[in-house]
Amino acid sequence: MEIMRKLGELLHWRSMTEDEEERVEEKPDLHEKPEGDYNLKHSGVRLHNLPFSPNSNEVIYSVQAPSGELDKLIEDNLEEIKEIFAREQLRFIYLPLLWQEMRDDEALWEYQVPYGKVQLEGAAHPMYSDYLLHYMVDKTHIREVAGPGVMRSVDSSGRSYTGVSIYHRWEIVPEEIDDVERYFTYLAFTVKHERNPWGGLYNVPKADENFADAMFDEETEKLIEEVKFKIDLLRRRGVSEVYLKGLNFSTSNLSTLFFSADNRLFLTDYRNKEVVMTPLVKAVYILFLNHPEGIMFKELPDYRAELAEIYYSLKGNKPLKRRLGIKEYPQSIIDVTDPTNNSINEKCARIKEAFLKVVPDYIAEYYYITGRRGSAKKVKLPLHLLKIFGINA
């Protein structure tokens, strides 16, 4: 299907400079360490065979036995505590009330099940605050972490190649909680900013024609922190998966992806949700849709001219400059079609990000670009679900 050719007459997008499009605003860290002198003992816990993907955005309250007054304090002030951690782009999880929180969250289910409704009553068993401790690698040390505390995954990727996940743990001393706002603000700041004591070095692949391909999986997992946090509120990667996996979701109701006359993207069967991308990111996406057979990253230079035509169509059909009869491309086009450059992975991450903002991963994976290392990358969406205004709509 000649996606680019069919869209050529329809693409209209406001002009955006390449600087605007490529710039990722780096916000300075405006946080100063809050006042307080609290004894937040820091340690590490190794867990294995977790039935969910660890998520470093989650901070999970943990205690081996019910903690009486502290449990009541947390329950009575849960919304305030959650808001305090949210200021640090963290999600505070109190397991005994997690299912109730999820069950009553209409936005969560609109995101998780965009094609209809799911039966929630009776779908879950309660979890308790000792849940994570059942997965300790060495339970002979359980007494050291039996008291109240919060735990946060070291790994932000959600993947464990050994089956073992390492969690930070900060001890909570109930007697030190003189003021809920002050104490939990100090705790949230510490959890967010305290240095990782298990940091290490890793090897960066040499920049050759296989560099982008080698980094594909790594880079598409790296979402902008603030965007990732907002997505996680609905995506619920982490301990919430224990509940989500118990529900029957369907991939049989994939939505049509519709290109409108003004070149906006909509998932028409999911309440007409819009998928928003910047012009260069959208141009990359159209390029891959135009090649359902897939594209090898090492062959990206062969697609430079085609990508440039798509890109300039999106920006208003601006002609390519020529010097001595040779087309000149902007640096952004050169970078994204350079297999030794990481730009293509960044664009693929943005595409994935755009879909994850509106639908969960079990659906989004059919729409964003996927592929194994060393293989062609492609969009899995069946072609009959791609509709273009004035062509097949």
Side-chain angles (χ1 to χ4, degrees):
M1 182 183 293
E2 293 288 339
I3 300 295
M4 184 270 292
R5 180 180 60 80
K6 292 181 179 181
L7 287 174
E9 298 177 359
L10 305 173
L11 302 181
H12 301 286
W13 194 271
R14 77 169 181 86
S15 295
M16 179 184 293
T17 67
E18 289 165 21
D19 286 341
E20 285 180 316
E21 183 176 314
E22 292 297 300
R23 184 173 63 246
V24 176
E25 182 179 354
E26 295 186 2
K27 297 183 179 179
D29 185 2
L30 300 179
H31 291 300
E32 294 182 0
K33 189 171 184 177
E35 294 182 1
D37 184 20
Y38 301 110
N39 181 29
L40 301 179
K41 182 180 177 182
H42 183 197
S43 59
V45 182
R46 292 190 303 151
L47 308 178
H48 65 159
N49 300 324
L50 289 171
F52 60 89
S53 305
N55 182 354
S56 63
N57 282 347
E58 288 187 338
V59 178
I60 303 172
Y61 173 71
S62 173
V63 65
Q64 187 177 26
S67 187
E69 291 185 5
L70 179 56
D71 287 351
K72 186 176 187 307
L73 181 145
I74 291 175
E75 291 179 8
D76 290 346
N77 297 277
L78 185 56
E79 291 306 314
E80 180 181 0
I81 294 170
K82 286 163 58 179
E83 174 59 32
I84 289 169
F85 277 85
R87 296 173 201 159
E88 299 287 353
Q89 309 297 320
L90 297 170
R91 184 152 54 90
F92 182 82
I93 302 291
Y94 182 68
L95 292 173
L97 296 182
L98 178 60
W99 173 247
Q100 178 180 320
E101 172 194 332
M102 293 175 61
R103 185 190 60 201
D104 298 338
D105 189 344
E106 293 183 6
L108 168 66
W109 299 112
E110 182 179 328
Y111 175 84
Q112 291 287 346
V113 194
Y115 48 81
K117 294 184 178 181
V118 63
Q119 181 58 252
L120 300 180
E121 294 300 327
H125 299 287
M127 282 194 285
Y128 301 100
S129 296
D130 65 343
Y131 182 80
L132 294 183
L133 303 182
H134 292 290
Y135 296 93
M136 285 183 65
V137 172
D138 186 357
K139 289 189 173 65
T140 61
H141 294 287
I142 196 168
R143 291 183 60 185
E144 300 172 14
V145 295
V150 292
M151 296 173 64
R152 182 189 182 196
S153 172
V154 171
D155 183 19
S156 63
S157 71
R159 294 173 294 179
S160 174
Y161 299 104
T162 64
V164 175
S165 301
I166 298 176
Y167 273 71
H168 291 277
R169 183 184 184 276
W170 289 267
E171 182 179 343
I172 293 177
V173 180
E175 294 75 18
E176 291 190 343
I177 306 178
D178 51 351
D179 179 87
V180 170
E181 167 76 21
R182 181 164 56 248
Y183 183 87
F184 283 96
T185 296
Y186 189 92
L187 176 61
F189 180 91
T190 303
V191 169
K192 178 69 174 184
H193 298 284
E194 189 160 288
R195 293 176 62 85
N196 179 4
W198 302 284
L201 300 176
Y202 60 92
N203 293 324
V204 178
K206 185 178 179 181
D208 58 19
E209 68 174 14
N210 296 313
F211 175 76
D213 183 74
M215 297 294 289
F216 179 72
D217 289 332
E218 300 271 343
E219 288 301 323
T220 53
E221 286 296 323
K222 294 179 182 177
L223 306 177
I224 296 176
E225 185 175 16
E226 287 190 14
V227 175
K228 181 181 178 183
F229 175 70
K230 292 175 183 177
I231 291 173
D232 275 350
L233 291 176
L234 297 175
R235 187 182 180 194
R236 289 287 177 156
R237 185 171 63 83
V239 69
S240 300
E241 292 174 350
V242 175
Y243 287 134
L244 294 177
K245 288 178 180 178
L247 301 172
N248 294 318
F249 294 145
S250 173
T251 59
S252 63
N253 297 310
L254 293 176
S255 172
T256 292
L257 179 63
F258 178 63
F259 282 76
S260 69
D262 57 354
N263 191 42
R264 296 162 68 189
L265 299 179
F266 294 94
L267 296 170
T268 55
D269 301 306
Y270 299 156
R271 301 177 179 90
N272 223 33
K273 292 183 176 183
E274 184 174 4
V275 183
V276 179
M277 303 177 195
T278 58
L280 183 55
V281 173
K282 186 174 289 186
V284 171
Y285 188 56
I286 292 172
L287 175 69
F288 278 83
L289 288 176
N290 202 29
H291 293 276
E293 74 283 3
I295 296 174
M296 297 288 292
F297 276 5
K298 66 181 180 180
E299 297 173 356
L300 280 169
D302 298 339
Y303 298 87
R304 185 168 294 162
E306 182 179 352
L307 178 63
E309 288 189 43
I310 298 171
Y311 178 57
Y312 281 125
S313 294
L314 289 168
K315 291 175 70 70
N317 294 314
K318 178 182 176 182
L320 291 171
K321 295 180 181 178
R322 289 179 177 271
R323 179 175 296 179
L324 300 178
I326 300 175
K327 291 181 179 179
E328 288 187 349
Y329 299 102
Q331 191 61 45
S332 58
I333 295 293
I334 295 172
D335 288 344
V336 80
T337 52
D338 179 358
T340 70
N341 191 298
N342 206 39
S343 179
I344 183 62
N345 287 321
E346 294 168 357
K347 304 305 177 291
C348 289
R350 299 290 184 183
I351 292 166
K352 181 176 181 179
E353 201 174 74
F355 282 102
L356 286 176
K357 285 181 180 179
V358 293
V359 291
D361 196 51
Y362 76 92
I363 291 174
E365 66 175 333
Y366 287 88
Y367 295 88
Y368 59 70
I369 297 166
T370 61
R372 294 180 179 275
R373 181 177 298 181
S375 66
K377 308 300 186 288
K378 63 180 70 175
V379 177
K380 295 194 297 185
L381 184 69
L383 290 179
H384 74 274
L385 292 176
L386 182 61
K387 305 293 184 183
I388 303 170
F389 176 82
I391 302 296
N392 49 10

